[in-house]
Amino acid sequence: MSDEPKHGTGSDRPKAPSGDPWTRLPSMAPAAAVPVRPAPGTAAPRTVAPSPLDPGASLDPHGIHRTLREEFPLTYDPLLRAWVLSRYADVATALTDSRFTHGHRPGDPPCARAHVDVDVEALRSVTERTAHVLAHRIAERQQADLVADFCHWLPAGTVAAAVGVPYRDMMRLVRGRAAGALAGECGAQIAVREKALASFLANVLTDPDQVAALRDAPAGLVGRAWTESLRRDPPVQVMVRRTSAEVPVSGGMVPAGVSVALLVGSAGRDPERFREPDRFDPLRDDPGQLTYGSGFCPAVTLAGLEAEYAVRALFTAMPGLRLADGFRPTQAGFITRAPRSLIVRPGG
């Protein structure tokens, strides 16, 4: 009989989906989950940790994240076949500490190779031009879906323009495997940038005050809004690392030689780090997002430029842009997460 801690029977918990990257990780025998001792006068903690793969978690993971942060800051999840970290301090450590391996960090060799050839001002120019072309294509419509009609194309179009692919051919050539050949390992991360942009625009358009503040805002304020969106709604919710040594964290000790699932989406909403963490507030006085390294990465640079020029292009082409009546963006996804649609009225 396995000595892995049980989170439920096979009949009441789903199996990891076949496309999930953890299905390829080796099995390992962990210690028991490590709950936090409750403060006097508070309710006793759960004896079994919830799993991010529980039914319904892809639609609303925040309750599970809250329980993990408060009661199970270090636990082993047999569905993920990995130890799970959910607090900001622990996830931030794992993303930057060299004892956590098998993950990309800005400044790694692919980024360093790209840095030699990247002209940031040229990227700025092609991003601005591509954003304005796409915005004007939907400006005359009565209704549009910004996810399908704008976010889906801007990252691809920016890559295409940067490498000299004609506009009429860009969507055919820069998606899928062709993107890697055209833009390199980092610049080819198009799907992640699409999701980050969709969440950013959803956060901005959901609040009329944010629309007014960012319509003619300087780049610095747009950048703060972008950082805040990455904190609140990161496009990659879960990252996998592997330990090369034992590492102490707030919930105990992560063993050496094990896989670790970092709940980035949970860490960004940790109330120990952020006040009112569920609120989107570009002007918050405790800003910050999880960092993955201090070096240069073309994907990070491109994503920031795409966010800045998306706002400028959309509000220039459509000054009255707003969400369609009765529509509210809904985030979905487990490993990556973003709105699947963003229905707007271009003319207001």
Side-chain angles (χ1 to χ4, degrees):
M1 181 178 294
S2 169
D3 60 353
E4 293 182 355
K6 302 302 182 184
H7 288 202
T9 65
S11 62
D12 60 4
R13 299 297 285 280
K15 295 182 179 179
S18 59
D20 194 290
W22 290 284
T23 60
R24 299 187 293 275
L25 296 176
S27 181
M28 59 199 73
V34 185
V36 173
R37 185 179 301 278
T42 62
R46 294 169 49 136
T47 58
V48 177
S51 171
L53 287 179
D54 279 347
S58 66
L59 293 177
D60 185 13
H62 304 303
I64 290 174
H65 290 172
R66 187 178 307 111
T67 299
L68 289 170
R69 284 193 307 265
E70 293 175 355
E71 301 181 21
F72 301 90
L74 176 62
T75 186
Y76 181 83
D77 190 320
L79 292 178
L80 296 176
R81 285 195 276 180
W83 292 82
V84 178
L85 296 178
S86 52
R87 292 181 175 177
Y88 180 93
D90 297 331
V91 172
T93 295
L95 289 171
T96 55
D97 193 312
S98 61
R99 290 173 293 181
F100 290 86
T101 65
H102 293 69
H104 172 74
R105 293 184 177 94
D108 281 355
C111 298
R113 288 192 295 269
H115 195 186
V116 177
D117 302 321
V118 169
D119 183 336
V120 174
E121 288 308 310
L123 286 180
R124 182 179 298 278
S125 177
V126 298
T127 303
E128 180 179 20
R129 184 169 64 251
T130 304
H132 280 281
V133 168
L134 292 170
H136 280 283
R137 288 180 63 188
I138 61 178
E140 299 304 318
R141 301 181 190 176
Q142 289 189 340
Q143 184 166 288
D145 180 355
L146 289 186
V147 171
D149 301 329
F150 188 85
C151 301
H152 189 59
W153 302 122
L154 180 57
T158 300
V159 169
V163 298
V165 174
Y167 178 79
R168 63 181 180 277
D169 297 328
M170 70 180 185
M171 301 312 172
R172 178 172 60 86
L173 293 178
V174 303
R175 302 194 64 79
R177 294 181 180 179
L182 286 169
E185 183 176 333
C186 297
Q189 302 300 313
I190 290 172
V192 172
R193 302 201 325 267
E194 287 178 17
K195 292 178 182 295
L197 183 60
S199 291
F200 173 59
L201 294 178
N203 280 325
V204 170
L205 291 171
T206 298
D207 186 346
D209 290 339
Q210 299 297 340
V211 173
L214 294 177
R215 181 175 285 113
D216 300 308
L221 181 56
V222 177
R224 290 186 66 173
W226 170 243
T227 297
E228 172 70 349
S229 185
L230 292 177
R231 174 201 69 80
R232 183 180 184 272
D233 297 298
V236 179
Q237 293 277 305
V238 186
M239 295 185 177
V240 182
R241 296 292 186 266
R242 193 168 182 85
T243 53
S244 61
E246 288 187 340
V247 184
V249 294
S250 61
M253 185 75 70
V254 182
V258 300
S259 295
V260 184
L262 313 178
L263 302 189
V264 179
S266 170
R269 298 195 184 207
D270 188 342
E272 293 296 316
R273 170 62 178 84
F274 301 103
R275 284 186 294 278
E276 297 184 77
D278 294 333
R279 184 165 61 94
F280 178 71
D281 180 12
L283 299 179
R284 65 169 53 248
D285 58 7
D286 58 346
Q289 67 182 86
L290 288 158
T291 58
Y292 313 111
S294 58
F296 172 85
C297 178
V300 173
T301 300
L302 274 171
L305 291 173
E306 287 157 2
E308 176 184 349
Y309 287 108
V311 167
R312 301 200 184 288
L314 289 170
F315 287 142
T316 297
M318 297 164 275
L321 179 68
R322 64 174 176 82
L323 293 177
D325 293 340
F327 177 83
R328 288 296 177 267
T330 301
Q331 300 261 343
F334 162 60
I335 298 176
T336 60
R337 185 172 177 81
R340 293 177 177 171
S341 61
L342 194 54
I343 309 301
V344 297
R345 293 186 64 84

